[in-house]
């Protein structure tokens, strides 16, 4: 039978545990700082995209209003021409 050795933990002082915990906390805070910087950068990108979308939507709304005005004008002109054609038919039959 092969003898087995038991590894005994190195005695630890409370100060050592605190130092390790503080180093882990510093590392976590640094990671969080990097993540927050990335979030701010992405929010800036999103803000720019939303502003661009707003400008596009305003331009689209303006184009729709112009198109509506042109369609109403064409409709009125078509009605005027229809009335003229009706009058000409009456004269031609008359």
């Amino acid at each position: 039978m092969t003898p087995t050795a038991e590894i005994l933990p190195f005695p630890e002082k409370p100060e050592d545990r605190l130092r390790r915990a503080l180093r882990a906390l510093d590392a976590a805070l640094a990671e969080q700082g990097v993540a927050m910087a990335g979030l701010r950068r992405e929010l800036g990108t999103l803000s720019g995209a939303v502003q661009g979308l707003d400008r596009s939507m305003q331009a689209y709304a303006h184009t729709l209003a112009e198109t509506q005005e042109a369609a109403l004008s064409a409709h009125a002109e078509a009605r005027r021409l229809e009335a003229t054609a009706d009058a000409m038919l009456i004269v031609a039959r008359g």
Side-chain angles (χ1 to χ4, degrees):
M1 181 168 206
T2 307
T4 59
E6 182 180 340
I7 299 176
L8 298 174
F10 192 72
E12 186 173 41
K13 297 179 195 170
E15 301 86 34
D16 294 338
R17 287 181 53 206
L18 179 60
R19 266 197 255 355
R20 261 198 329 274
L22 288 173
R23 278 195 301 267
L25 179 60
D26 283 341
L29 287 172
E31 275 185 47
Q32 186 179 30
V34 169
M36 286 302 296
L39 177 62
R40 284 187 194 100
R41 191 172 45 254
E42 294 302 320
L43 286 174
T45 300
L46 178 61
S47 176
V50 168
Q51 288 173 359
L53 179 60
D54 182 53
R55 284 190 299 273
S56 294
M57 291 302 292
Q58 287 178 6
Y60 181 65
H62 179 71
T63 301
L64 281 178
E66 287 177 340
T67 302
Q68 179 186 17
E69 190 175 311
L72 290 173
S73 178
H75 181 261
E77 186 63 23
R79 291 292 181 196
R80 189 184 67 75
L81 288 173
E82 183 180 30
T84 301
D86 287 344
M88 292 174 91
L89 279 174
I90 291 171
V91 170
R93 290 184 184 151

